[in-house]
Amino acid sequence: MKMRMGSFNSAPKILNEDTQDNDVTLPEHMSKEDLLTYCTNQLQGTPSLIPRTFRSVSLFNGSPKYRTHEMLPLNEAGIRVLQWNLLSQTLGLNNDNFVRCPSEALHWQRRRNLLTQEIVRYSPDVICLQEVDHFNYLKKSLGTQGYIGMFFPKPDSPCMYIKDNNGPDGCAIFFRSNRFELVKCETRVLEVWRVQSNQVAVLAILRDLVTGSEFCVATTHLKARNGALLAALRNEQGKDLLDFVTSHCGDRPVIVCGDFNAEPAEPVYSTVTTHPALRLASAYAAYQAGEPPYTTWKVREEGEVCHTIDYIFYSKGGFRVSSLLDFPTGEEIGECRVPSFGYPSDHFSLVCDLLPTASNSIQSPL
């Protein structure tokens, strides 16, 4: 029997189920345009999403060159990956104290439509999500676009101690069912010094339906809060995550996404990028001078928080980056930062296009 770190909350758990989206009725299949229009109509004319652009990456004499565009079709061999901490509805509304965010901007009936728009407008092939506490809604909305999803909750989610929760929060992976076949799915409660923590990981092996090539994708959400002890805990969770991925990926190329709650200077970042077997690189840092200046920008009671803690890591020998979604500027975000009427989470989504390298010729064992 595994030991597990105990909860720091002495309150009783409130075991609610994921039922707050039973009012949503959508057809089994919708075009992308019809779903985006449906979400816009539900918003009833309130402000639209902050606009963002892609940056194409090409190498010229060994140096990256960029071209900005709204969005180009992805090479059919490429994989568009979206990474996003959605912001748990229960925690965002009750715990996170976004002092400059209007309460109306946090209403779930509004936020869920913006969340869908932010994901669907980029047409990702693989979606990695954290702080998911409305998985049934995502299954409904993303299911209209042909996505299949897998969800794994935290064993002691803080959502479960809040009266109006919609079930525990956790991590999820979605993928396009017309593009990939699920070979297997694995989940893990991450361990720290052989003791189970409250953080989890989800892993999927996907097979390309056309080429038969396979890759491994995993997502996680590491422990939050500042301090040397917490940084050490995150590093141990990162080591366990990499062991978990290594035990299942075989020779397949790997994509690891998540909210690591750690800036690049923290030990866990180096632990991930120096792993001798996986040989991972950060998509956003690979073709620019370091990571972006922020992936989350919010204002809480203790002040403004602006830092980089979310990443898409990929196998350097298996993929190369061909396009990146840029982050909005401070002026575009606005003085109240996020979440806001123009953006439904306190984290920004990360999107990149990965093309297989010439050496990436892993084929189905079948």
Side-chain angles (χ1 to χ4, degrees):
M1 180 178 178
K2 286 283 187 183
M3 293 181 62
R4 188 169 69 80
M5 292 180 176
S7 170
F8 293 101
N9 196 329
S10 60
K13 285 187 177 182
I14 303 169
L15 302 177
N16 292 343
E17 296 182 356
D18 185 353
T19 59
Q20 292 180 7
D21 299 293
N22 290 348
D23 62 313
V24 177
T25 303
L26 294 170
E28 186 175 350
H29 301 290
M30 299 175 73
S31 69
K32 173 182 173 179
E33 292 73 20
D34 285 346
L35 179 59
L36 292 175
T37 299
Y38 167 85
C39 292
T40 298
N41 291 340
Q42 296 297 306
L43 294 168
Q44 298 179 340
T46 55
S48 57
L49 281 167
I50 296 171
R52 299 173 68 183
T53 56
F54 277 85
R55 212 162 16 114
S56 293
V57 180
S58 58
L59 292 177
F60 181 75
N61 291 335
S63 299
K65 299 295 181 183
Y66 305 106
R67 182 162 63 91
T68 301
H69 54 88
E70 184 174 346
M71 190 167 71
L72 292 176
L74 178 61
N75 181 303
E76 63 180 12
I79 302 169
R80 176 162 292 160
V81 181
L82 181 145
Q83 148 61 30
W84 199 15
N85 179 326
L86 297 182
L87 175 59
S88 155
Q89 177 62 18
T90 300
L91 300 179
L93 196 61
N94 297 283
N95 275 27
D96 285 326
N97 297 315
F98 299 119
V99 293
R100 290 191 188 174
C101 178
S103 59
E104 295 85 355
L106 291 174
H107 288 175
W108 176 242
Q109 284 69 24
R110 184 178 191 283
R111 283 192 66 232
R112 67 188 180 188
N113 290 286
L114 286 176
L115 291 170
T116 299
Q117 286 183 324
E118 175 69 354
I119 295 171
V120 170
R121 66 174 172 170
Y122 304 124
S123 301
D125 297 303
V126 177
I127 303 166
C128 294
L129 305 173
Q130 301 83 45
E131 288 201 30
V132 175
D133 62 357
H134 282 257
F135 181 66
N136 283 338
Y137 171 75
L138 295 170
K139 281 203 304 182
K140 286 181 183 180
S141 61
L142 298 180
T144 67
Q145 306 300 296
Y147 291 100
I148 293 175
M150 299 146 284
F151 171 70
F152 190 49
K154 295 176 183 175
D156 194 29
S157 167
C159 296
M160 303 303 291
Y161 299 94
I162 297 172
K163 179 181 177 181
D164 296 322
N165 74 72
N166 191 53
D169 78 303
C171 295
I173 294 176
F174 285 84
F175 65 92
R176 284 193 182 277
S177 59
N178 64 350
R179 172 77 192 278
F180 302 112
E181 174 187 14
L182 180 64
V183 176
K184 72 172 180 177
C185 174
E186 300 288 343
T187 59
R188 181 168 178 81
V189 178
L190 297 178
E191 296 184 5
V192 176
W193 301 303
R194 299 187 178 181
V195 178
Q196 286 188 334
S197 67
N198 194 34
Q199 279 64 51
V200 300
V202 183
L203 177 149
I205 304 293
L206 300 178
R207 178 185 299 135
D208 191 300
L209 292 172
V210 175
T211 67
S213 62
E214 297 179 3
F215 66 95
C216 172
V217 58
T219 190
T220 194
H221 185 187
L222 301 189
K223 179 67 177 174
R225 307 301 179 211
N226 297 324
L229 174 60
L230 276 303
L233 290 175
R234 278 190 287 272
N235 195 37
E236 293 302 313
Q237 290 178 336
K239 291 176 184 178
D240 194 55
L241 169 69
L242 297 176
D243 288 344
F244 171 58
V245 172
T246 303
S247 68
H248 292 288
C249 68
D251 293 329
R252 302 173 183 90
V254 169
I255 301 167
V256 178
C257 301
D259 175 357
F260 284 72
N261 271 308
E263 297 197 50
E266 270 203 28
V268 68
Y269 184 91
S270 176
T271 294
V272 172
T273 55
T274 61
H275 191 278
L278 296 178
R279 298 184 62 243
L280 299 174
S282 168
Y284 274 78
Y287 292 102
Q288 57 187 29
E291 296 288 351
Y294 49 83
T295 62
T296 177
W297 198 347
K298 62 201 115 186
V299 182
R300 287 178 167 153
E301 287 182 341
E302 62 269 25
E304 195 160 355
V305 180
C306 177
H307 55 180
T308 300
I309 56 177
D310 307 273
Y311 307 97
I312 299 175
F313 298 107
Y314 68 97
S315 295
K316 290 183 284 189
F319 300 106
R320 66 176 180 86
V321 177
S322 67
S323 190
L324 295 166
L325 179 65
D326 274 332
F327 290 85
T329 65
E331 183 178 353
E332 290 168 332
I333 294 168
E335 293 182 358
C336 294
R337 308 316 181 196
V338 291
S340 65
F341 281 116
Y343 207 76
S345 175
D346 58 330
H347 292 246
F348 295 101
S349 65
L350 285 67
V351 183
C352 75
D353 294 341
L354 298 175
L355 292 177
T357 61
S359 59
N360 180 5
S361 57
I362 306 300
Q363 296 296 314
S364 165
L366 303 178

